[in-house]
């Protein structure tokens, strides 16, 4: 049996970045960088948005209305967020720890 080589942190992050870029291309999102502070992806039928907290360390405003998110916990681990719009999704509740993890959150829809 052949042993699989473990990926380095750099290789793993590169894979995340490649996956994120592919997702952005599919959603026709352009001009994004690690300096991006506002991300607006509406009416795209998204159910999850992985790696957003890693791809955009400066992200302050995240608008994801009119999608299909049923779990909001993935967004409350982004410590820089001040505005989060998850309106018109399939959310039934918000995680209990949401106000603890996003201390700077000013508006939530």
């Amino acid at each position: 049996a052949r042993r699989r080589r473990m990926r380095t942190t750099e290789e793993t992050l590169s894979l995340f970045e490649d996956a994120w870029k592919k997702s952005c291309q599919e959603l026709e999102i352009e001009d994004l960088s690690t300096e991006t502070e506002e991300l607006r992806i509406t009416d795209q039928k998204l159910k999850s948005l992985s790696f957003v907290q890693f791809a955009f360390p400066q992200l302050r405003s995240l608008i994801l209305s009119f999608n299909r998110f049923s779990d909001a916990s993935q967004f409350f681990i982004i410590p820089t967020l001040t505005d989060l719009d998850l309106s018109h999704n399939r959310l039934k509740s918000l995680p209990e720890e949401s106000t603890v993890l996003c201390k700077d959150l000013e508006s939530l829809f």
Side-chain angles (χ1 to χ4, degrees):
R2 197 169 84 171
R3 290 182 118 185
R4 294 180 70 182
R5 183 178 70 85
M6 296 290 290
R7 289 189 179 108
T8 65
T9 302
E10 186 174 291
E11 289 171 326
T12 303
L13 289 174
S14 177
L15 288 173
F16 287 155
E17 183 179 356
D18 291 345
W20 178 252
K21 285 179 182 176
K22 182 179 178 191
S23 296
C24 289
Q25 288 171 348
E26 290 171 2
L27 293 169
E28 298 177 2
I29 299 171
E30 298 176 4
D31 300 324
L32 294 178
S33 76
T34 56
E35 303 296 318
T36 298
E37 291 186 11
E38 180 178 321
L39 184 59
R40 180 182 303 264
I41 307 174
T42 61
D43 201 20
Q44 295 294 319
K45 299 179 180 141
L46 296 176
K47 294 180 181 177
S48 69
L49 193 62
S50 302
F51 318 122
V52 71
Q53 69 271 23
F54 304 114
F56 306 109
Q58 306 291 324
L59 193 63
R60 300 189 53 75
S61 180
L62 184 57
I63 294 94
L64 298 170
S65 56
F66 295 96
N67 280 291
R68 295 183 179 169
F69 296 105
S70 59
D71 178 15
S73 60
Q74 62 187 311
F75 307 114
F76 288 100
I77 60 172
I78 305 172
T80 55
L81 275 186
T82 58
D83 303 293
L84 178 60
D85 184 350
L86 294 169
S87 61
H88 303 283
N89 276 281
R90 297 179 175 174
L91 301 173
K92 292 185 170 89
S93 64
L94 294 176
E96 289 181 24
E97 66 277 1
S98 60
T99 56
V100 174
L101 297 173
C102 285
K103 294 178 182 172
D104 295 331
L105 194 62
E106 296 171 2
S107 66
L108 174 63
F109 297 97

